[in-house]
Amino acid sequence: HLEAVQAYRRAGDDFARALQSAPDYPPALLDRSLLLLHQAERLARLGRFPDAALELESATSDCDALLAELPEDAAALLTRARAHAQRSEMMRQLKDSKVDAEAEAAAADFAAASRAEPGSPDVHYHRGLFEAVRGRRNEAAAALQEALRRAPSEWRWRQQCTQRLDAITRGA
């Protein structure tokens, strides 16, 4: 995992250099925010919560900058929702009192992303994962079912979504 973390850091440095020439270029901001989100997920799995929190803060800032220019951008809303959801989960593990505010921010961004792109299976899938972590099984199952209903047959998350839905419906 450490090599992957270092690779993400190098990629982030490359994005930072590229963004110096066009600091508010929306596609680059979105790509960097996704990179930071994945980096934070890896750091959290390693138990490096303070480092993960910094990456999530940077990802959220990039999404905020993009959304200032394109307020209805579903990908930026989804990425920011995922960052809030990850931060909420870390806070829950650390018994931080701000966990509810992060969960509410994530829920609001998932709802906004769904309004911006209602046909997106990705939005429903990630919202389903978020609801499952929160222990809201009915909401999680409904979101995952909606993701599968909207997804094309070759959708990249189909297998994971089906497995997660099966686990929720079995009570696992």
Side-chain angles (χ1 to χ4, degrees), residues 19-171:
L19 281 169
Q20 286 176 347
S21 63
D24 295 326
Y25 182 60
L29 286 171
L30 181 61
D31 288 346
R32 184 173 66 182
S33 68
L34 285 166
L35 176 99
L36 293 164
L37 177 66
H38 292 295
Q39 169 79 349
E41 290 168 348
R42 287 188 180 277
L43 289 166
R45 279 195 296 272
L46 293 171
R48 293 176 53 189
F49 295 125
D51 293 332
L54 290 173
E55 300 295 316
L56 291 169
E57 186 61 37
S58 294
T60 302
S61 293
D62 280 352
C63 289
D64 290 344
L66 195 156
L67 290 165
E69 297 294 319
L70 303 167
E72 301 289 319
D73 189 283
L77 288 164
L78 176 58
T79 301
R80 190 171 69 181
R82 291 175 61 197
H84 283 302
Q86 178 68 36
R87 197 170 14 233
S88 172
E89 174 57 15
M90 288 186 334
M91 289 176 166
R92 186 188 64 74
Q93 290 178 24
L94 297 170
K95 299 182 180 6
D96 188 309
S97 63
K98 298 177 189 166
V99 66
D100 291 336
E102 282 298 327
E104 289 173 19
D109 278 344
F110 278 121
S114 185
R115 285 190 304 276
E117 194 172 332
S120 169
D122 289 358
V123 171
H124 297 286
Y125 172 67
H126 288 290
R127 185 173 61 85
L129 297 179
F130 168 66
E131 297 294 359
V133 168
R134 294 174 70 192
R136 299 172 53 154
R137 292 180 43 193
N138 291 339
E139 292 86 347
L144 294 173
Q145 288 168 343
E146 188 65 16
L148 290 170
R149 187 179 78 71
R150 294 180 180 276
S153 59
E154 69 281 354
W155 181 51
R156 67 183 176 151
W157 300 112
R158 181 171 289 284
Q159 182 178 359
Q160 294 92 325
C161 187
T162 301
Q163 290 170 345
R164 189 67 178 137
L165 180 58
D166 290 345
I168 289 169
T169 56
R170 285 193 321 269

Side-chain angles (χ1 to χ4, degrees), residues 1-9 39 42-43 46 48:
H1 284 294
L2 191 54
E3 288 116 21
V5 168
Q6 291 168 341
Y8 276 111
R9 179 126 359 240
Q39 169 79 349
R42 287 188 180 277
L43 289 166
L46 293 171
R48 293 176 53 189

